[in-house]
Amino acid sequence: MLGLVLRVVVRPGKERKLRNFYPNVYRDELLEAPEEAGVAEAYAADGSFLAVGYHDPRSRVPFRAFRFDRGPLDRPFFRGRFLRAMRKREGMGTAYRLVHGEADGLPGLVVDRFGEVLVLQVRARGMEALREVWLPALVEAVGPRGVYERSDVEARRLEGLPGRVGVVYGEVPEVLEVEEDGLLFPIPLALAQKTGFYLDQRENRRLLEAMVRPGERVLDVYSYVGGFALRAARKGAYALAVDKDLEALAVLDRAALRAGLRVDLRHGEALGVLGGLEGPFHHVLLDPPTLVKRPEELPPMKRHLVDLVREALRLLAPEGYLWLSSCSYYLKAEDLLEVARRAAADRRMRLRVHALTHQPRDHPWSLHVPESLYLKTLILQEDAL
């Protein structure tokens, strides 16, 4: 451990969270807590041991548990966590999420692997404070050629931490070549969104490619670098990609050229572009960014989604498919269903639920951490009688 181990005491009744392996303890759930930050042991009010973690009174979550047994938070501990994460992802190819925060017992840390390069984000004060311990352990466990950091997300700003972007170990190319099922995406890391590539939609992209037929028309809204659009084009469909990020569309254009595929591009805000399009499209995909980051944002964002889905349904071909995704924990599958029902009522359309999918296994969903289930995709089919 680093220095003196602090002690926090959890209020009566709240110790059940830690005993059920939920790692976060909030300010109003602490009975006793020191003013300083550091590695800490958590105890119940009756004096029984609960967990070892990091306490920082300036954090939105003052205590985050790293382990539920006694022991240090040292380099061997972190190396063991990283090796375990790698074992859980054996056979997943060259591009996958290696660390999914709390679901991998590493709160506040995300690591994506792209071949010999790792791209990471540090989202919490405790993980930032322990950087000099876990980063060497990560390098030792994985043996990457280079590690790049994209810690410039809102969660970090809410923790009061400055952004950090750049190479933190070894050599990292300016343009990261990401391969997925034979498609190559040349992504400039300095311009990339999040960690560079949305690995969590991998299975949905494969599902779309399996469903699309030659000659169909596919509309990929919020396309980023065109993972869905390129797969549709590879199946012989007409593909139109829409995004407000010009750099992402440029990456898509280069990837299509390299693959010998054609994808039409449209730059602009999704709702405005949708309103100016004419259908029909056999598949319309709506994969917006994290629209809801706090519970109070849910009602207005649902109204916005209804507007988006209403326009998407206007463009949908008879018996066509609408794909509606949410990567926000607060926007539940039930909310997506409600949004779709409201939009369908406005369009006087009947829809069938074809499937409801979630994130792939390299983004594990822990039973004990509800927030670890975040990606939901509702696939609806036009179902006129």
Side-chain angles (χ1 to χ4, degrees):
M1 286 194 202
L2 300 179
L4 179 68
V5 178
L6 306 176
R7 177 188 176 97
V8 301
V9 179
V10 179
R11 290 187 180 278
K14 298 300 180 181
E15 74 280 356
R16 290 194 297 268
K17 295 173 60 176
L18 289 170
R19 286 180 175 149
N20 196 36
F21 307 110
Y22 184 78
N24 298 340
V25 180
Y26 297 92
R27 189 164 286 105
D28 61 354
E29 297 173 329
L30 289 172
L31 184 64
E32 299 176 19
E35 294 182 359
E36 65 266 40
V39 174
E41 293 181 339
Y43 291 86
D46 64 5
S48 57
F49 171 83
L50 295 171
V52 178
Y54 198 89
H55 170 261
D56 190 330
R58 294 172 293 175
S59 174
R60 293 179 302 144
V61 183
F63 180 81
R64 299 175 191 261
F66 282 74
R67 60 189 302 171
F68 298 92
D69 60 339
R70 294 183 186 272
L73 302 185
D74 55 8
R75 189 183 297 191
F77 164 78
F78 283 107
R79 184 174 62 248
R81 284 286 159 94
F82 293 131
L83 290 172
R84 180 175 181 271
M86 291 172 64
R87 289 195 299 270
K88 288 163 59 178
R89 291 154 173 87
E90 288 179 353
M92 294 212 68
T94 60
Y96 55 85
R97 174 149 295 181
L98 175 61
V99 174
H100 188 49
E102 289 81 355
D104 282 303
L106 293 161
L109 180 65
V110 168
V111 183
D112 285 348
R113 183 173 192 171
F114 301 99
E116 295 183 299
V117 174
L118 303 180
V119 183
L120 62 83
Q121 285 182 353
V122 182
R123 300 177 175 179
R125 298 187 71 91
M127 193 60 77
E128 181 65 44
L130 295 168
R131 174 186 292 267
E132 293 184 6
V133 183
W134 62 258
L135 184 55
L138 176 65
V139 171
E140 184 179 344
V142 182
R145 185 172 55 131
V147 181
Y148 192 84
E149 182 164 4
R150 281 305 304 257
S151 297
D152 54 352
V153 291
E154 184 181 5
R156 187 175 172 92
R157 292 190 291 272
L158 292 174
E159 286 280 274
L161 293 169
R164 295 184 63 154
V165 176
V167 179
V168 294
Y169 170 79
E171 298 179 358
V172 177
E174 292 184 7
V175 177
L176 188 65
E177 293 279 353
V178 178
E179 187 272 336
E180 184 179 84
D181 295 344
L183 293 171
L184 289 173
F185 299 86
I187 298 176
L189 277 174
L191 300 175
Q193 298 177 20
K194 294 193 175 181
T195 57
F197 194 72
Y198 290 94
L199 295 165
D200 53 5
Q201 285 281 18
R202 178 195 311 111
E203 298 302 325
N204 282 334
R205 288 190 286 265
R206 289 172 176 164
L207 178 59
L208 173 73
E209 188 168 11
M211 291 173 62
V212 168
R213 292 174 293 187
E216 291 188 333
R217 290 165 52 85
V218 176
L219 175 59
D220 182 7
V221 186
Y222 303 100
S223 66
Y224 186 45
V225 296
F228 285 105
L230 283 167
R231 286 177 178 268
R234 187 161 67 175
K235 283 295 291 288
Y238 166 79
L240 174 60
V242 177
D243 205 282
K244 68 176 182 179
D245 186 337
L246 275 172
E247 287 86 359
L249 291 176
V251 171
L252 166 52
D253 199 36
R254 290 193 291 273
L257 184 64
R258 175 181 292 185
L261 300 172
R262 177 186 173 182
V263 175
D264 283 352
L265 311 178
R266 190 69 61 88
H267 173 248
E269 294 286 348
L271 190 57
V273 172
L274 283 172
L277 292 177
E278 294 297 329
F281 289 92
H282 299 88
H283 293 266
V284 179
L285 298 107
L286 298 176
D287 184 18
T290 307
L291 296 172
V292 182
K293 298 178 181 178
R294 290 174 289 275
E296 58 270 22
E297 297 173 343
L298 187 58
M301 286 304 101
K302 285 168 68 173
R303 290 192 293 270
H304 177 64
L305 278 178
V306 170
D307 293 337
L308 280 170
V309 173
R310 187 188 303 115
E311 285 300 313
L313 290 176
R314 178 181 64 83
L315 300 171
L316 199 62
E319 299 186 12
Y321 293 89
L322 172 68
W323 302 59
L324 176 60
S325 294
S326 167
C327 55
S328 170
Y329 163 70
Y330 294 107
L331 196 65
K332 310 293 187 185
E334 293 78 9
D335 296 310
L336 292 183
L337 290 164
E338 179 193 342
V339 161
R341 275 194 294 266
R342 287 165 58 183
D346 290 344
R347 301 292 321 167
R348 297 185 63 80
M349 291 178 66
R350 176 184 168 90
L351 303 175
R352 178 184 68 89
V353 177
H354 175 78
L356 176 64
T357 71
H358 299 288
Q359 67 231 36
R361 68 180 177 91
D362 58 329
H363 296 64
W365 172 16
S366 170
L367 174 66
H368 309 282
V369 186
E371 297 91 335
S372 62
L373 173 65
Y374 70 100
L375 180 63
K376 289 82 57 179
T377 298
L378 180 62
I379 307 174
L380 300 163
Q381 185 180 24
E382 194 273 340
D383 190 32
L385 293 176

